[in-house]
Every structure is written in structure tokens, then in C-alpha cells.
Amino acid sequence: LVQVVESGGGLAQAGQSLTLSCTVSGLTVANRRMGWFRQTPGNEREGVSCISWSGEALTSYAASVTGRFTMSRDNTKNTVYLLMNSLKPEDTAKYYCAVAEPRFATCVDSWSTLARYNYWGQGTQVTVSS
């Protein structure tokens, strides 16, 4: 059984920071691309960030979060993180962590395409007030 569990969501004031964590059990993800996605009511789930397999650990970000968010991974903990700085009310959403299929190891090949990921967490809510 593979489990993907996000944590760290909550309420923050605009301009403050939050760090999300995603821990995977039942599967070693060192060789997997990992992604963070977010979704608001009535909208499609969108890509926030991607980090490639541990040998590269190269990241890609959505334009809306570039320069503010940083994704990282700790392979000893089988965990990835999303550091969210300078939060804006527009960042309010439910954030999901996802594990990519083995053949999609880098963040070059359409990293924000949901179909590339085969394991998903249940999400953690982030709410940013003005």
C-alpha cells in the first residue's frame, strides 16, 4: 500500500510563510519526479512546482509562484517540501502532493500534466488572509 500524506497547511497572513511537507510510505521515491498541485473550488487542479529525481533535484515552478516558492526533497526521509514565502491571498487553495510514473523522472516533459502522476495525497488546505 502506497500512502502520500501532506501536512503543514493552515492559516497565514499575507506576506508570511508556510512550509508544506509530503511524506510517502510504501514506495521509495528517490528516483521519481514529485509535484505539488493546488485546487480551488470550481477550478481545475493546477501545477505549482516540480522536482526531478534525486540525482538531479532540479525544480520547475508555475509563473504565479516563481521567486516565492521553493521545492526541495530529503531522500533519507522519503519526503518533499514546499516552502511558500511572501504568501498572497491568491495562494489560498488545497495543495496536493503527487508522485510521477517512473518514466517521467525529470521536470522537462510536461511536468504539470496530471496524467503523469499515479499517486496522490488527499491534500492540505492553505488559507491566506489579507
Side-chain angles (χ1 to χ4, degrees):
L1 176 64
V2 177
Q3 292 185 297
V4 181
V5 181
E6 304 98 334
S7 63
L11 179 65
Q13 292 283 332
Q16 295 185 332
S17 300
L18 282 176
T19 299
L20 305 183
S21 298
C22 170
T23 298
V24 181
S25 61
L27 174 72
T28 298
V29 296
N31 296 321
R32 303 292 191 97
R33 170 215 282 173
M34 300 289 291
W36 283 101
F37 295 76
R38 66 186 182 186
Q39 187 171 27
T40 55
N43 296 308
E44 296 182 346
R45 193 169 299 183
E46 64 179 8
V48 175
S49 180
C50 173
I51 189 165
S52 63
W53 65 290
S54 62
E56 287 190 345
L58 298 177
T59 54
S60 295
Y61 302 93
S64 58
V65 306
T66 296
R68 298 189 298 120
F69 291 10
T70 302
M71 190 174 182
S72 61
R73 64 191 306 158
D74 184 342
N75 297 309
T76 66
K77 298 182 180 295
N78 218 41
T79 297
V80 298
Y81 305 92
L82 184 66
L83 170 60
M84 303 183 294
N85 290 323
S86 302
L87 283 165
K88 304 175 180 180
E90 305 91 86
D91 296 318
T92 296
K94 194 168 187 178
Y95 284 73
Y96 297 87
C97 178
V99 183
E101 296 180 6
R103 64 184 183 276
F104 304 115
T106 72
C107 295
V108 176
D109 47 357
S110 302
W111 65 265
S112 61
T113 300
L114 274 61
R116 301 286 195 264
Y117 301 82
N118 57 359
Y119 296 105
W120 292 82
Q122 296 190 65
T124 184
Q125 179 67 38
V126 172
T127 301
V128 184
S129 61
S130 60

